[in-house]
Amino acid sequence: GENVEQHPSTLSVQEGDSAVIKCTYSDSASNYFPWYKQELGKGPQLIIDIRSNVGEKKDQRIAVTLNKTAKHFSLHITETQPEDSAVYFCAADGGESGGYNKLIFGAGTRLAVHP
Amino acid sequence: ETGVTQTPRHLVMGMTNKKSLKCEQHLGHNAMYWYKQSAKKPLELMFVYSLEERVENNSVPSRFSPECPNSSHLFLHLHTLQPEDSALYLCASSQDFPRGGFFSGANVLTFGAGSRLTVL
């Protein structure tokens, strides 16, 4: 089935720096890639998503890029702020092997932004 | 609150106990989900209900029993759990369950804050 790997597992940056989290997926038929942010004591919340017919999407300080050939996608956060500190999860739909109606999640990246 | 409320937030139980987790959504969504979140592991989909009908059961042991009495409520009944079942159990809902191989805005998941379960 579909497998999603996420790196790094932890990331520490200084306030104002950029942060990049990378994910790879295994099923080339996957076509939907969301990113979720989980703050302490809360459930994950969708922050941005991208579909396979688009290479890049931006929303203020957050951007996601998708490389279908290499089967990887990345989350970019610019001008990081302490409130960006959280666990970030990438996901991909299951594709042909895992089922298009399922989301397969990565293991998460714990981002710490230091003032 | 995100619109999805889970109770209790924390639960400690012995291996012989029977307990239940409750999830309630007031978003008018038609699909509800149970996920298991263990430390440093991907979120694991357990069950999906669409219009109160179970549409996914991801090889979950029978000691976990879901119940969806209506589209607003979802339960997870727990019986004779093992210590390795200790985790954060997340409930989520979406407007509709994705069909036809296409995720739309109606399929975006809204998660609750979770129920932290410890099995002694």
Side-chain angles (χ1 to χ4, degrees), chain A residues 23-96:
Chain A
C23 289
T24 60
Y25 60 99
S26 58
D27 193 318
S28 59
S30 295
N31 56 46
Y32 176 68
F33 308 92
W35 286 89
Y36 283 82
K37 174 184 180 182
Q38 185 175 26
E39 297 177 343
L40 192 62
K42 298 183 179 180
Q45 182 176 10
L46 179 74
I47 56 172
I48 195 167
D49 56 15
I50 192 168
R51 300 185 187 279
S52 58
N53 59 346
V54 175
E56 183 176 4
K57 185 176 179 180
K58 289 183 179 180
D59 183 3
Q60 300 182 334
R61 296 186 296 107
I62 293 174
V64 57
T65 57
L66 172 65
N67 184 326
K68 286 184 60 180
T69 303
K71 291 187 287 187
H72 66 69
F73 56 112
S74 299
L75 178 71
H76 305 255
I77 306 175
T78 59
E79 301 173 24
T80 53
Q81 301 168 4
E83 53 264 39
D84 294 328
S85 297
V87 179
Y88 291 80
F89 291 94
C90 64
D93 69 71
E96 289 186 352

Side-chain angles (χ1 to χ4, degrees), chain A residues 86-109:
Chain A
V87 179
Y88 291 80
F89 291 94
C90 64
D93 69 71
E96 289 186 352
S97 57
Y100 289 104
N101 54 14
K102 293 182 185 178
L103 284 181
I104 310 300
F105 286 85
T109 296

Side-chain angles (χ1 to χ4, degrees), chain B residues 41-59:
Chain B
K41 293 179 67 176
L43 295 173
E44 299 175 51
L45 179 63
M46 300 176 71
F47 302 104
V48 182
Y49 278 83
S50 176
L51 297 172
E52 300 146 48
E53 176 185 347
R54 191 188 307 181
V55 295
E56 288 287 342
N57 180 350
N58 272 7
S59 302

